Amino acid sequence: MNKVTPPRNLAGWCGRLLIVDLTHQKSWVESLSADLLHDSIGGRGLGVRLLRDTYQLDPFSAAMPLIFAGGPLCGTIAPASARLSVVSRSPLTGTIHASSCGGAMALQLKAAGYDALKITGVSAAPVLLSIAGDQVQIESATHLWGLPVSNTLAALKPVGGAAIIGPAGEHQVLYANIMTAEGSAAGRGGLGAVMGAKRLKGIQIAGKKPVVVADAEGVERSVNDIMRLLNAAPVIFGELGFAEYGTPALIDLLAQRRMVPTNNFRETFFAETSRYAAPALRRRYQPVSQGCHDCPIACKKATRDQQRLPEHGSLSHFGALLGISDLDIIVAACRLCNDLGLDTLSAAATIAAFSEASGEGIRAEDLPHRLGQIAMRQEDGDLLAQGARRLTTALGCPHLAMTVKGLELPAYDPRGAYGMALAYATSNRGACHLPAYPVAHEILRKPVASDRFDFAGKAWMNIVAENTHVVGDSLVACRFVFLAAGLEEYAALLTAVTGVDFTATQLLAGGERIWLSERYYNQMNGFTSADDMLPERFFQEPGSSGHGISIPAIDRQRFLDERARYYRLRGLDDRGQVPSHFLENRL
Amino acid sequence: MIRQVEKYRHQLERDGAVRQGRVALVAQDDLIREAGATDLCRIGRALLSEVKSIALVIGEPWLPFQNLYPLCLAPESQRIAPLDTETRTFLHDIPLVRRHHGRIDWADVAGLLGQRKGVLVEGVGIIAVGSVTVEQGYVNFSTLYHALFVGYLLHLLQDEPRCAEIVELGPLLEQLAHPIPQLLDDIAAGPFADEHAVRKAIEQAGQRTVELHLVDSFFGNISCHVNNQLMISQTGASLDALAGCVDLVPDDNSTTAGLTASSELPAHRAIYAATGATVILHGHPKFTVLMSLLCDEQGCHIADCWKDCPQVRYLGTVPVVAGEVGAGGIAKNLAPVMADGIGVVYGHGVFAAGTVDFRQPLHKMIALENWCRREYQRLLGQKIAGHEKSGVKSGSR
Ligand code: SF4
Ligand SMILES: [Zn+2]
């Protein structure tokens, strides 16, 4: 391995990128300039930047990189800021896909001396990548190939951080996840399949380098400011908040708001949500809290024997979306998905679409078999492994796919929150609540409440939120801290950590640039405004009104008007295209 | 959006935060919308084109802090640290932009607005931004105003104000001469027949709290405990518009649908558990907040009084304790001292409880605020008298 000297005076970053070429079984280090790191920040921003020359390649082609990137705050006392971003092109959607996950990977990557790890090529046989500081080894993983996640981890006993795929990734299920040793998933767009296509079963990484910050006192002050805001936010540290109940706290709330996707989005209310809601989980499992590395919120819940319990979205989609209310069955299905390396949301949504398309009911007791078939691509499973859009197209009923850009909708019905409706449509990675996270203002009333049944103002709110969360995903900080703190606090923290002056405005502008890069890459891959569209069902069929709440179908014209406003405010042309002058100063 | 702009301009004047006619709101999404004083609109427009926010509020507070703070702070000082705890949580500190050679560096103002929720500009006023909604601009303006008010009035008692400051205090002395009226006769009498009646009573009491200026902007919270559940206002809800913004939180947490309940849910719960009250009202009356910050303890070594003070101090007969918002200790410290149904949180606000309806807590809160006003008036009077005496002796500064 050749030696690379990182740029001097770099606090927060390492200035080094580790590249591993699986085809030629070799690795080397390249330096990352201070300018590039300041502009791209890290995580998602850095990952997107590193895709600049390859974004048009087929996701399964050897030359398509799979990038793991941490952020400048990782390893410091910054709360909820040691997450990892995994970036590549999604085989499910064809979009650029960045996914954030917990676990120790980001911390160990930094301790090993790298801002990011870029994997290219395809190995001839299954391999395991082991990184210990400067030592990089590519070892045979033939003995692990075919094993579920839990067995792989048991055989591997990784020290430091680890990310692996299950059978779903090996069989290139289009919505296969990458799982960390701690049970977090880099989810949604099928990056596990990209890893599987490279015949890379797993990565383990450990390092010992200390983390340096520029202004330790400033860091402490900023962290105190952020902690005060987190303490004051009911959704975080409140008695019914995420720290106490985890994201399943949302289940009762969304049921009360009548926006629970039910029976493949044919309804928006499921009478039995309380059977798998947070209080039921608490009664059944007396959960303990777990967190992403060093996170004070620790919103993950686990059984007393440390088995992770599902999050809100997984419970809701294996519950209401499939019409199942038995808690044990739902939890078992979610666990099985994690063990097979399947994305829970896409798996449940694809099964829901299959059920509606085929007219076959869903039998809860068949779920394990069905999920196994998907992960192994056996029988019907081969079709279901391709996600709801390809499945319904093959069955001649594409209108039954509840997807945007090919990504299955998560567990917030857009008829119950119009900012969410717009956000699903314009997200760069397809139907996902995370990029703009309108849950914040439309449901949780943060930073200010907005009328969920009104499109007015939503274009701007989504743009600001999208840009903010790009920054968050680049830092890489958790979505949830932005329910309480803002870029004002994180700019001060980043400044203290790195010794480089950052302001909220600068960070937002950087977020916008990264967001436009993603949009531009998608555009060059053939995406148009026709892809910024919700499934027809939401404009045609009302949801389940009741309890004084009316859930009509979405007014298509109002939706289109706000989307047009969104394009204008984003600086896109009226067909939603990124203007050519963006090319001149893109990332 | 123009409706929002008009609404909040009107609200700022109604709140009594700004001089009549001396406020402007500017907002932009695809179009610029504005309301208020023309000269201020012009400044606002220019600034907003530089700042990535949707709305900007610019106004002259009725006490001219834009002139007073530059006088009372050290000449090199460019930050005002709020003393009240809630503002500290959300603002950290307030930048002060001074004139240099008679001019304001507007690029500097724009730069600061890109980093902070608002600033105080010498000779101009308070400028605040709303990054995603007009309402946010209004709330940020009000929060700055509250912090500046509390900080300045405390300075008047604790430091040696200059003559140039004292001559500006006419409006303050005028306000102090008028106590808040106990307008309670029409407040719904309890006990309440059903959930609907509780909701109506909550809405009415919230509205009255705002009308009587017992909060700035519209923050505060309110609850009623009936049938083993709390009905409590939602986080970020306007006390004067609570219809549809009240959450149900059962005592046994059998549902988490109340996830959006006020951040003070733990404090409300602890007070109910400790006192047998059935209604609670929480507001931030300004004089109560600032008087709670006055402490004559000598030789105390505690630095973060607002969270670490272990004492129970008193405003008249009403106890004052320390504690941070939400998960930060208010619940633990306050509940034990609420025997008389009223308690103050250091630098933050009042919790007032009742056993029948909202007349009781409203009455207690108004009485306390009036007591604090009188007390402030007395102390300020002494200060001014002392000043005049020394002014006569040594010639005015
Ligand atoms: S809040 Fe939850 S998801 Fe976010 S970093 Fe903490 S533990 Fe992880
Ligand atoms: Zn308060």
Side-chain angles (χ1 to χ4, degrees):
Chain A
M1 189 191 281
N2 49 351
K3 281 257 182 288
V4 162
T5 330
R8 264 173 298 147
N9 304 330
L10 213 50
W13 292 283
C14 310
R16 289 169 21 121
L17 167 69
L18 175 62
I19 302 178
V20 177
D21 175 355
L22 293 175
T23 307
H24 302 100
Q25 308 264 311
K26 61 180 192 174
S27 69
W28 65 98
V29 177
E30 289 182 1
S31 70
L32 295 168
S33 74
D35 282 351
L36 184 140
L37 290 167
H38 296 171
D39 279 351
S40 64
I41 307 170
R44 177 174 167 188
L46 180 56
V48 169
R49 170 65 182 78
L50 294 174
L51 281 184
R52 185 195 264 184
D53 301 323
T54 49
Y55 65 84
Q56 281 186 292
L57 298 176
D58 183 280
F60 290 149
S61 71
M64 173 54 82
L66 177 65
I67 295 158
F68 296 79
L73 305 180
C74 180
T76 70
I77 56 167
S81 304
R83 289 175 65 88
L84 178 78
S85 204
V86 188
V87 187
S88 190
R89 188 173 174 203
S90 160
L92 179 67
T93 63
T95 62
I96 297 304
H97 193 94
S99 184
S100 161
C101 66
M105 276 284 285
L107 189 77
Q108 295 295 339
L109 183 67
K110 194 172 207 177
Y114 310 107
D115 296 305
L117 161 67
K118 173 169 150 179
I119 297 164
T120 68
V122 170
S123 169
V127 287
L128 178 74
L129 176 62
S130 296
I131 302 162
D134 286 339
Q135 300 302 312
V136 180
Q137 286 182 345
I138 301 168
E139 303 157 61
S140 168
T142 315
H143 62 297
L144 300 173
W145 202 251
L147 292 184
V149 170
S150 56
N151 301 51
T152 311
L153 286 171
L156 211 54
K157 297 192 187 59
V159 271
I164 55 174
I165 55 168
E170 296 171 11
H171 290 97
Q172 294 168 34
V173 173
L174 296 187
Y175 45 89
N177 285 350
I178 298 171
M179 303 298 300
T180 72
E182 298 80 3
S184 269
R188 303 310 323 263
L191 299 188
V194 174
M195 192 154 150
K198 298 190 175 310
R199 293 200 190 83
L200 178 59
K201 178 68 178 176
I203 304 165
Q204 45 182 349
I205 184 161
K208 293 200 182 103
K209 291 207 167 79
V211 172
V212 187
V213 302
D215 166 14
E217 242 173 63
V219 172
E220 199 180 325
R221 202 167 41 242
S222 291
V223 168
N224 286 340
D225 284 347
I226 292 169
M227 284 310 299
R228 265 212 306 283
L229 288 164
L230 291 173
N231 274 320
V235 60
I236 303 295
F237 281 118
E239 298 192 344
L240 305 172
F242 290 172
E244 195 63 37
Y245 283 98
T247 55
L250 289 163
I251 289 175
D252 284 327
L253 179 61
L254 295 168
Q256 199 271 336
R257 302 289 195 271
R258 298 187 87 83
M259 53 181 290
V260 180
T262 305
N263 293 326
N264 200 32
F265 292 83
R266 275 168 284 182
E267 293 124 49
T268 63
F269 184 77
F270 184 54
E272 296 180 69
T273 44
S274 64
R275 292 188 58 193
Y276 56 81
L281 239 79
R282 175 164 286 197
R283 280 193 303 275
R284 175 80 179 82
Y285 300 105
Q286 288 107 46
V288 292
S289 289
Q290 293 183 341
C292 301
H293 179 79
D294 259 1
C295 173
I297 304 169
C299 76
K300 311 289 180 196
K301 304 299 156 201
T303 57
R304 305 230 145 217
D305 57 352
Q306 305 296 318
Q307 300 271 341
R308 274 275 165 97
L309 286 163
E311 306 257 0
H312 148 254
S314 308
L315 288 163
S316 186
H317 265 16
F318 273 103
L321 195 72
L322 299 180
I324 296 172
S325 60
D326 186 303
L327 177 59
D328 287 341
I329 289 178
I330 295 170
V331 170
C334 295
R335 267 199 199 142
L336 183 56
C337 281
N338 287 342
D339 209 25
L340 295 168
L342 283 172
D343 185 77
T344 48
L345 302 184
S346 287
T350 305
I351 292 171
F354 181 68
S355 163
E356 187 175 1
S358 65
E360 260 182 47
I362 294 158
R363 296 201 323 175
E365 56 279 20
D366 290 347
L367 273 181
H369 180 63
R370 170 74 76 203
L371 292 168
Q373 280 185 325
I374 295 174
M376 309 299 284
R377 285 195 177 242
Q378 290 163 346
E379 299 172 35
D380 284 346
D382 189 40
L383 192 55
L384 274 93
Q386 299 177 48
R389 180 175 60 178
R390 289 176 176 83
L391 168 106
T392 53
T393 304
L395 296 176
C397 44
H399 61 287
L400 297 182
M402 296 301 119
T403 60
V404 175
K405 300 185 179 78
L407 187 69
E408 293 77 14
L409 262 72
Y412 305 83
D413 196 289
R415 286 163 293 198
Y418 295 174
M420 185 69 85
L422 182 67
Y424 284 156
T426 61
S427 148
N428 284 336
R429 67 178 211 176
C432 184
H433 57 300
L434 294 170
Y437 207 62
V439 191
H441 52 89
E442 294 192 309
I443 308 299
L444 299 171
R445 310 176 59 85
K446 294 292 170 195
V448 272
S450 73
D451 180 353
R452 64 191 176 109
F453 295 115
D454 194 346
F455 274 108
K458 296 297 164 69
W460 178 261
M461 293 181 97
N462 281 1
I463 290 169
V464 173
E466 283 170 345
N467 293 347
T468 301
H469 293 310
V470 172
V471 177
D473 289 344
S474 303
L475 280 170
V476 182
C478 176
R479 215 26 115 259
F480 299 151
V481 292
F482 293 98
L483 287 168
L487 287 186
E488 181 181 339
E489 287 79 21
Y490 271 84
L493 179 54
L494 183 60
T495 301
V497 166
T498 62
V500 180
D501 277 331
F502 285 95
T503 65
T505 311
Q506 260 172 355
L507 287 176
L508 265 185
E512 178 173 54
R513 206 166 51 238
I514 297 163
W515 190 94
L516 283 172
S517 297
E518 293 176 346
R519 174 112 187 158
Y520 176 74
Y521 293 171
N522 287 345
Q523 179 177 312
M524 294 304 285
N525 282 325
F527 286 85
T528 67
S529 60
D531 299 295
D532 295 339
M533 199 55 195
L534 290 174
E536 199 50 32
R537 168 163 284 165
F538 300 112
F539 300 114
Q540 298 288 344
E541 301 170 22
S544 317
S545 301
H547 272 103
I549 300 174
S550 163
I551 310 281
I554 295 171
D555 182 326
R556 183 196 310 271
Q557 196 52 50
R558 284 294 296 118
F559 168 84
L560 290 174
D561 289 348
E562 198 63 14
R563 194 185 70 173
R565 191 195 310 272
Y566 175 91
Y567 289 163
R568 281 198 298 280
L569 294 171
R570 266 265 176 232
L572 307 175
D573 69 15
D574 52 8
R575 293 168 307 128
Q577 301 279 298
V578 180
S580 50
H581 65 73
F582 173 70
L583 282 175
E584 289 145 30
N585 51 12
R586 80 183 154 123
L587 260 184
Chain B
M1 198 157 66
I2 189 67
R3 259 181 306 148
Q4 294 272 307
V5 168
E6 285 290 357
K7 172 181 165 185
Y8 289 111
R9 180 192 63 86
H10 176 74
Q11 208 143 311
L12 278 164
E13 295 199 337
R14 187 208 62 189
D15 291 349
V18 291
R19 272 178 60 206
Q20 285 301 313
R22 294 307 296 156
V23 65
L25 265 87
V26 186
Q28 62 176 2
D29 53 13
D30 341 16
L31 291 171
I32 294 265
R33 322 268 185 181
E34 57 189 40
T38 323
D39 56 328
L40 297 180
C41 279
R42 200 177 53 241
I43 299 175
R45 233 173 14 240
L47 284 171
L48 200 54
S49 67
E50 300 288 313
V51 182
K52 285 227 163 214
S53 287
I54 200 157
L56 182 142
V57 185
I58 173 168
E60 292 175 11
W62 66 275
L63 265 184
F65 299 132
Q66 68 276 19
N67 306 329
L68 294 169
Y69 269 100
L71 286 174
C72 75
L73 292 178
E76 67 285 358
S77 159
Q78 293 178 342
R79 305 265 154 190
I80 300 162
L83 300 162
D84 59 303
T85 51
E86 225 181 30
T87 316
R88 276 171 70 118
T89 302
F90 296 103
L91 293 180
H92 318 308
D93 58 23
I94 303 169
L96 166 67
V97 180
R98 293 176 185 265
R99 286 183 184 279
H100 279 291
H101 308 295
R103 294 171 56 100
I104 296 294
D105 179 352
W106 289 106
D108 186 28
V109 176
L112 286 165
L113 288 173
Q115 300 171 48
R116 313 305 298 267
K117 296 179 181 77
V119 298
L120 179 66
V121 180
E122 180 170 5
V124 177
I126 300 172
I127 306 181
V129 288
S131 66
V132 290
T133 63
V134 179
E135 181 189 287
Q136 232 181 349
Y138 162 74
V139 168
N140 288 338
F141 186 97
S142 293
T143 311
L144 259 84
Y145 164 73
H146 183 85
L148 292 170
F149 185 93
V150 169
Y152 186 75
L153 267 68
L154 212 59
H155 144 78
L156 288 179
L157 296 190
Q158 292 180 328
D159 307 326
E160 287 307 323
R162 295 159 184 246
C163 286
E165 294 179 65
I166 292 187
V167 295
E168 299 272 13
L169 298 183
L172 175 64
L173 300 174
E174 164 72 15
Q175 190 189 79
L176 284 167
H178 295 95
I180 296 175
Q182 289 279 6
L183 281 179
L184 303 175
D185 290 351
D186 60 331
I187 293 291
F192 307 118
D194 52 22
E195 204 179 292
H196 178 74
V198 175
R199 283 181 192 275
K200 287 285 152 212
I202 286 178
E203 288 165 27
Q204 186 194 29
Q207 175 99 38
R208 187 59 48 89
T209 310
V210 174
E211 284 163 2
L212 295 176
H213 301 304
L214 295 167
V215 288
D216 273 309
S217 74
F218 42 55
F219 291 119
N221 38 72
I222 181 166
S223 74
C224 179
H225 190 233
V226 269
N227 301 332
N228 302 317
Q229 64 178 3
L230 232 72
M231 295 173 73
I232 182 164
S233 53
Q234 293 181 334
T235 179
S238 319
L239 273 185
D240 58 351
L242 286 177
C245 293
V246 172
D247 276 340
L248 286 181
V249 185
D251 292 349
D252 62 0
N253 288 348
S254 52
T255 162
T256 54
L259 178 57
T260 46
S262 159
S263 53
E264 299 300 6
L265 171 69
H268 285 244
R269 279 184 152 174
I271 294 169
Y272 287 124
T275 63
T278 59
V279 296
I280 294 172
L281 179 61
H282 166 56
H284 309 144
K286 284 194 286 291
F287 287 89
T288 306
V289 172
L290 86 91
M291 290 302 290
S292 76
L293 288 161
L294 273 188
C295 173
D296 40 24
E297 188 80 20
Q298 299 295 316
C300 173
H301 59 275
I302 289 173
D304 292 337
C305 316
W306 42 281
K307 68 176 163 84
D308 294 335
C309 175
Q311 312 249 25
V312 181
R313 299 179 301 114
Y314 287 88
L315 289 173
T317 56
V318 177
V320 181
V321 295
E324 277 187 284
V325 186
I330 292 184
K332 185 167 68 71
N333 301 346
L334 191 63
V337 300
M338 286 285 292
D340 289 339
I342 184 160
V344 173
V345 180
Y346 178 93
H348 173 168
V350 191
F351 284 81
T355 51
V356 184
D357 54 40
F358 288 104
R359 292 174 188 214
Q360 297 165 291
L362 267 169
H363 178 87
K364 289 176 193 161
M365 196 182 282
I366 295 168
L368 174 62
E369 176 68 353
N370 283 336
W371 184 90
C372 290
R373 282 177 174 225
R374 282 195 305 276
E375 196 54 18
Y376 184 82
Q377 194 178 18
R378 186 177 68 77
L379 295 172
L380 183 63
Q382 286 175 0
K383 196 86 193 184
I384 293 175
H387 193 272
E388 277 162 2
K389 259 187 232 149
S390 69
V392 172
K393 256 187 262 159
S394 62
S396 80
R397 288 191 291 172

